[in-house]
Amino acid sequence: MTPSEAHELHAAMRHYGIPGAVTPAAPDDLDGAWLVVDEEDRNVTASVQARVSQARSRQPERGFVFVR
């Protein structure tokens, strides 16, 4: 994923409380590919992207919905 996609994914992870660290695939190349790793330093990018997508698609069950 690109650096801008990584920034957006990291913001969504914080918003939805999804654990993981967004890091560059090559530490010396910040403009290259980025990935998400767990506590054990395993690549969990695909599963985190799926969880974020699922969280974004959920509809509120109660309360008010304000559309911008």
Side-chain angles (χ1 to χ4, degrees):
M1 100 184 100
T2 67
S4 62
E5 292 169 334
H7 176 73
E8 181 182 331
L9 182 63
H10 185 253
M13 289 168 61
R14 284 191 317 231
H15 179 76
Y16 295 115
I18 298 171
V22 181
T23 62
D28 58 337
D29 184 17
L30 299 180
D31 293 327
W34 286 65
L35 49 89
V36 181
V37 296
D38 63 7
E39 306 85 29
E40 298 172 1
D41 211 28
R42 292 180 295 192
N43 183 351
V44 293
T45 305
S47 65
V48 168
Q49 288 174 326
R51 288 179 65 188
V52 166
S53 177
Q54 182 183 26
R56 285 179 174 162
S57 69
R58 278 187 270 169
Q59 297 295 319
E61 295 177 7
R62 297 175 27 159
F64 297 97
V65 176
F66 296 96
V67 179
R68 291 182 175 183

